[in-house]
Amino acid sequence: MEHPSSGFKQTKRLALCAILAGLSLAVLYLGSLSGIFDLCAVVVGALCTAFVVLEIGGVYPWLTGAVTGVLAVLLLPDKFVALEYIVLGGLYPILKSFLERFGRIFSWILKLIYFNCALTICVLLAMFVLHLQDFVSASWILIYGAGNVFFVVYDIALTSFISVYVLRLRKRLKIRGLK
C-alpha cells in the first residue's frame, strides 16, 4: 500500500514539470519569433530540462522534454527552433547526465558523436522536410565546425549552471519533497 503523501508528491512533480514545459514553450515561442534568439531560447529550455533531471529524475525529464517538443512542433511558427529544442534542449540534458558517468574523455567522445549525428539529422531534415535550402547552402565544414564549437561551449555552460545550482542555489531555494 502506498503512503498517502506519495500521490501528493507525484502531483507536485507533474505540476512542476508542466510549469517548466510551459515556460520552455513560451521562451521558445519568443525565440522563434525573433529569429535571432532561437539558440538562447533553446538553452533556457535545456535549463528547465536539466532542473527536472536534477530535482525529480526518473521518467519526468523525458515527459517534460517530450511534451515541450511535441507542443513546439505543433505551435511554433519556426519549426527549426522546435527541432533545435528537441535535440539540444529536451534530449541532451538527460543524455548528458547519463553520459558523464563514463569518465571525462569517453563521455566527450560520446557527446560529440551524439551531437554530430543529431546535427546531420537536423541538416537533412532542414533540406528535405522543411525545404530550407538556404540554411544548407553554406559550406558543410562551416556548419559542422561552428556547430561543434557551439556544442562544446554549450556543454561547458550547462555544466557550469548545474554546478552553481547544486552548490549554491539549491540550498537557497529550499526545494523539498520532489524526490
Side-chain angles (χ1 to χ4, degrees), residues 153-171:
V153 171
Y154 166 68
D155 184 82
I156 292 168
L158 192 57
T159 301
S160 296
F161 166 77
I162 291 168
S163 298
V164 166
Y165 174 75
V166 169
L167 297 174
R168 294 184 185 166
L169 295 177
R170 183 184 263 172
K171 292 176 188 174

Side-chain angles (χ1 to χ4, degrees), residues 27-28 30-45 78 80-82 84-85:
V27 171
L28 287 170
L30 292 174
S32 72
L33 288 178
S34 74
I36 298 172
F37 298 112
D38 56 337
L39 284 176
C40 293
V42 169
V43 170
V44 171
D78 186 356
F80 195 71
V81 175
E84 289 173 337
Y85 170 77

Side-chain angles (χ1 to χ4, degrees), residues 8 50 105 110 113 133 163 174:
F8 178 71
I105 293 174
L110 292 174
I113 289 171
Q133 299 301 333
S163 298
K174 297 178 185 174

